[in-house]
Amino acid sequence: KPDLVGAGTDLFSTSAGADNSYAVLGGTSMATPNVSGSLLLVQELHKKLNGGRVMTSASLKALAVHSAKE
């Protein structure tokens, strides 16, 4: 059962074409990095604002699940 589902269509991302190449991509290959990258940014902000302490995995999951759109 998924607790959280992320967008996986029409995501603007880097591409393998060149060092400065971008493309609009989609699929489960894009949904996972979209969600995990967003949660990493939240974790980095929490660490910055709280003296280097990281958020527990349970707190991060709760934040993600309870702030998601239905």
Side-chain angles (χ1 to χ4, degrees):
K1 73 167 182 63
D3 291 317
L4 184 67
V5 177
T9 58
D10 298 328
L11 296 172
F12 187 69
S13 183
T14 55
S15 175
D19 289 343
N20 61 350
S21 180
Y22 297 90
V24 176
L25 303 169
T28 56
S29 298
M30 292 305 296
T32 300
N34 180 24
V35 172
S36 58
S38 298
L39 293 176
L40 178 62
L41 291 172
V42 169
Q43 185 70 281
E44 285 183 357
L45 178 62
H46 182 274
K47 187 175 177 181
K48 181 179 178 181
L49 297 175
N50 291 282
R53 292 183 318 226
V54 295
M55 192 182 306
T56 65
S57 59
S59 295
L60 187 59
K61 179 181 177 182
L63 178 65
V65 169
H66 293 290
S67 61
K69 292 181 182 178
E70 287 288 329

